[in-house]
Amino acid sequence: MAEGLVLKIALILVLGVGAQWAAWRYQIPAIVLLAVVGLIAGPATGVLQPAQDFGPLLQPAIGVAVAVILFEGGMSLNLGSLRGSAKAVRRLIVFGAPLGWFFGAVAAHFIGGLSPAVAILFGGLLVVTGPTVIAPMLRQARLSHRPAAVLRWEGIVNDPVGALFAVLTYEVAVHWVLDQPLIVVAGGLAVGIAVALALGVAVGLGCIQAFQRGWVPEFLKAPLVLGAILLCFAVSNLVYDEAGLLAVTALGMTIGNSRVSSLDELRRFKEYVTTALVSSVFVVLTATLSWDAFGSLNWRHLAFIAAILLLVRPAAVLLSTLGTPLPWKERALVAWIAPRGIVAVAVAGLFATKLQVVGFEDAALLVPLAFAIVFTTVVAHGFSIGWLAKVLGLVSTRRPGILIVGASRWTVALARALKDLDVPAIIADGDWHRLRLARQQNVPTYFGDVLSEVTEHHLEFNAFGHLIAATPNDAYNALVCTDLAPELGRINVYQTGCHEASDHPRRRSFTLGGKTLLRSGADTDDLERRMLAGWTFQKTRLTGAFTFDDFLANRNTDAEILLVLKHDGRIVFATHKERPKAAEGDVVLSFVPPESRRKTGDAAAASLANADASVKAKVP
């Protein structure tokens, strides 16, 4: 029995993480694959039967998972960033969320036929747009900066907000069923909210103090936070039923808005845990469904789903953004795009059973309705966002650029060479004087430390596909690559070489930093000396007459390939261990000595001339 249960838990985790990987690999919304996997493992084959497999442990397990997910959402709410965000984002949060809740509840009751309490709870859940679903859509559609920022911030903030709307509705509904006076209901709810907020903030402040005073070693900080989440959730629920969800959100916001030095490590830890829990919960909830549950949906429910897409969301967005600087095209796009995510389904699954226990029979429709809305919005918005953005002229025409950290003669020359290849590049440096040469040559610059919190809110990292850390400080280069690797992908971060040999005992650990740029692994001092000696960047377009083999045969032995710009727009860098391959139509960007440019150019011209002569000889 125990072995079978462990096998089921392992299967759920493998299926969930496997679906996440496949979604990343093939650029498919993860929620779609998670649902397909859950349906196959549950209703289709019966391999997973969560209600029978886990029995009374199922609901508590889902509750704990939702608590951790909401903590992650609360930790993502940076109040400083929110205050400095655009007026449209603030309007969508302050006015758009309540309007969406109201319109969604009205539609659920009068169109979907749900009881008032269930309709109000479900309307609150539909506010959630889900950053885990929005982010891949924005990357694929290549939206221009402003509408992408609005949609991204709305998804981050509304994720816990919609769940909190549902918590408040549940508390009111339960007390209403108990036939308690309104004053008692309101008083009890106020006490529950106060206790939950106080407990969440108090536990959060306690963790912050313990971290800042050095009472907790680094390796215990993440486990301590996980324990604090569970303690806060359990104690709050003992004081007031389901107040734990509000408490863990407050806990996440308290820690997320602190200035704890280990905040990045904590964020990564909770992202790992949340990803595993989100994947597992979604597979479990999908596996609990039956074909009869979907068969219980009728034409009224289909009309309700259509109203959510075509009436509720557009009305809430258009009304809340009146008077903002957003042009009508951007308002129209934001009004249409609102894919619901995993949080909506997870919270619906949590409250569906609880509401049925207290007498709301139609709460059984919450999970199938939530799945139906998630599928509909993900498919409709996922397949239409690119087309609509093109029609409205809101597609960013710029390809993903390169962020270069460290201003020098070499990096400025590199940025200019990239500009000639139509590859956006920006040089970031914390020294204003070092950026002078870049400014003089009209190279885009950013003044500031890329590791600072301010930079996160002023430099759009989504616009970059690659990073090159090229400061004279190898330790700082490694720190930049290590810190931004989760954002850009570890295979996309590079740094200039180190002064020490690879076997030097004081060289940094291989687990830190990015890939070493250039075959020679030259450091910044060597690159600067080459620039003073007259080295330049040279671009060579490969053709059928002048192939990559011809290029290699005719290049100067000292010249170094920096990157290959593929014909489809991809960029492949040369590293200390790998040399990229190139084919016809690709462009090779090399760093060459003065005598190399003429040699390679003459060879290319000769090859083209021979090819031209060969063609003429074949013409009768």
Side-chain angles (χ1 to χ4, degrees):
M1 179 67 179
E3 291 77 6
L5 187 60
V6 172
L7 182 61
K8 292 291 179 71
I9 294 174
L11 178 62
I12 290 169
L13 187 59
V14 169
L15 290 176
V17 176
Q20 291 272 12
W21 177 85
W24 165 80
R25 179 66 178 81
Y26 299 105
Q27 296 297 299
I28 301 171
I31 198 168
V32 174
L33 288 184
L34 287 169
V36 170
V37 165
L39 288 173
I40 294 174
T45 63
V47 173
L48 288 179
Q49 296 179 333
Q52 298 179 17
D53 296 334
F54 299 100
L57 294 177
L58 180 61
Q59 285 305 314
I62 293 176
V64 169
V66 171
V68 176
I69 293 170
L70 289 183
F71 169 82
E72 191 267 347
M75 200 171 177
S76 302
L77 293 179
N78 188 294
L79 299 180
S81 304
L82 189 57
R83 285 193 296 268
S85 61
K87 183 179 180 181
V89 178
R90 295 196 300 271
R91 286 283 195 89
L92 282 174
I93 296 162
V94 177
F95 299 108
L99 283 174
W101 185 13
F102 173 74
F103 292 147
V106 170
H109 177 58
F110 291 101
I111 300 178
L114 299 179
S115 63
V118 176
I120 295 172
L121 185 145
F122 199 45
L125 281 182
L126 296 182
V127 170
V128 175
T129 52
T132 56
V133 185
I134 282 285
M137 287 187 182
L138 297 181
R139 284 195 295 269
Q140 294 173 18
R142 296 178 58 193
L143 283 183
S144 53
H145 172 71
R146 187 162 54 186
V150 170
L151 287 170
R152 185 177 65 255
W153 266 109
E154 184 199 15
I156 292 173
V157 176
N158 281 354
D159 213 24
V161 167
L164 293 181
F165 287 167
V167 172
L168 296 178
T169 305
Y170 171 78
E171 298 297 340
V172 173
V174 169
H175 286 80
W176 200 270
V177 168
L178 297 177
D179 199 24
Q180 295 178 341
L182 181 60
I183 187 65
V184 175
V185 174
L189 185 59
V191 171
I193 293 174
V195 170
L197 291 177
L199 185 60
V201 172
V203 173
L205 292 176
C207 292
I208 294 168
Q209 285 295 314
F211 294 162
Q212 291 178 340
R213 294 178 182 273
W215 296 342
V216 181
E218 291 297 321
F219 72 95
L220 284 181
K221 288 182 178 179
L224 177 65
V225 169
L226 184 59
I229 296 170
L230 299 180
L231 177 66
C232 201
F233 177 68
V235 173
S236 296
N237 282 343
L238 288 176
V239 175
Y240 195 82
D241 193 26
E242 296 308 325
L245 298 180
L246 179 58
V248 295
T249 305
L251 172 63
M253 291 180 63
T254 304
I255 295 178
N257 286 274
S258 67
R259 301 189 66 83
V260 177
S261 58
S262 304
L263 200 57
D264 287 341
E265 289 80 2
L266 294 176
R267 283 200 175 104
R268 290 195 188 108
F269 173 78
K270 57 90 178 171
E271 286 172 1
Y272 300 151
V273 174
T274 302
T275 300
L277 288 177
V278 161
S279 306
S280 302
V281 167
F282 203 80
V283 170
V284 168
L285 289 175
T286 313
T288 59
L289 293 174
S290 64
W291 301 123
D292 293 338
F294 286 108
S296 63
L297 301 180
N298 54 39
W299 68 268
R300 295 192 65 175
H301 301 130
L302 298 180
F304 164 62
I305 296 173
I308 291 295
L309 267 71
L310 303 175
L311 297 176
V312 172
R313 169 69 178 182
V317 171
L318 295 177
L319 287 175
S320 61
T321 54
L322 283 175
T324 63
L326 278 183
W328 73 266
K329 291 182 177 180
E330 296 182 9
R331 292 174 65 203
L333 180 71
V334 173
W336 169 245
I337 302 300
R340 273 58 175 189
I342 294 173
V343 172
V345 175
V347 179
L350 179 65
F351 285 119
T353 304
K354 295 180 177 294
L355 286 173
Q356 290 179 73
V357 170
V358 296
F360 294 97
E361 295 181 0
D362 58 339
L365 295 170
L366 283 181
V367 175
L369 265 179
F371 272 103
I373 290 177
V374 165
F375 282 137
T376 304
T377 55
V378 168
V379 172
H381 299 154
F383 283 101
S384 65
I385 185 172
W387 171 82
L388 183 60
K390 289 179 181 179
V391 170
L392 296 175
L394 298 177
V395 176
S396 175
T397 57
R398 302 181 66 189
R399 67 177 66 177
I402 299 176
L403 174 60
I404 304 173
V405 181
S408 64
R409 290 185 181 87
W410 185 79
T411 56
V412 171
L414 171 59
R416 288 178 58 84
L418 292 171
K419 183 179 180 181
D420 292 339
L421 293 175
D422 198 27
V423 176
I426 184 171
I427 298 178
D429 201 301
D431 190 314
W432 179 257
H433 297 289
R434 281 201 296 265
L435 288 169
R436 180 174 59 184
L437 180 61
R439 295 194 302 270
Q440 290 174 345
Q441 300 196 24
N442 295 320
V443 172
T445 62
Y446 173 78
F447 172 52
D449 190 338
V450 294
L451 298 179
S452 71
E453 186 176 342
V454 174
T455 300
E456 295 181 10
H457 312 315
H458 291 84
L459 194 61
E460 187 59 49
F461 286 104
N462 285 341
F464 305 110
H466 303 274
L467 163 76
I468 297 176
T471 73
N473 189 332
D474 181 67
Y476 181 77
N477 292 341
L479 181 62
V480 168
C481 291
T482 302
D483 188 75
L484 296 180
E487 184 81 24
L488 300 174
R490 190 164 294 279
I491 63 172
N492 297 320
V493 294
Y494 304 86
Q495 66 182 97
T496 51
C498 177
H499 297 284
E500 287 83 11
S502 59
D503 57 350
H504 195 282
R506 294 185 179 179
R507 185 179 173 86
R508 58 178 168 82
S509 170
F510 71 93
T511 60
L512 302 176
K515 296 182 179 180
T516 302
L517 208 60
L518 298 172
R519 194 70 178 266
S520 65
D523 57 41
T524 52
D525 291 341
D526 189 25
L527 295 173
E528 286 298 289
R529 283 194 293 269
R530 296 185 193 183
M531 289 295 298
L532 292 173
W535 285 52
T536 58
F537 285 97
Q538 173 182 284
K539 59 179 181 179
T540 306
R541 184 174 297 278
L542 303 179
T543 64
F546 188 74
T547 65
F548 190 50
D549 290 335
D550 296 329
F551 170 81
L552 294 177
N554 289 280
R555 72 188 180 106
N556 188 296
T557 54
D558 293 330
E560 292 203 67
I561 298 174
L562 177 68
L563 61 86
V564 172
L565 178 62
K566 309 296 285 185
H567 63 277
D568 58 2
R570 292 182 297 113
I571 299 175
V572 183
F573 282 89
T575 67
H576 185 52
K577 297 182 178 180
E578 300 174 350
R579 185 177 68 188
K581 298 179 180 179
E584 182 179 351
D586 298 344
V587 177
V588 181
L589 182 64
S590 308
F591 188 46
V592 301
E595 64 274 12
S596 178
R597 185 177 182 86
R598 180 173 55 81
K599 179 181 178 182
T600 306
D602 291 345
S607 296
L608 291 173
N610 292 336
D612 186 51
S614 176
V615 171
K616 290 181 179 179
K618 294 179 180 180
V619 177

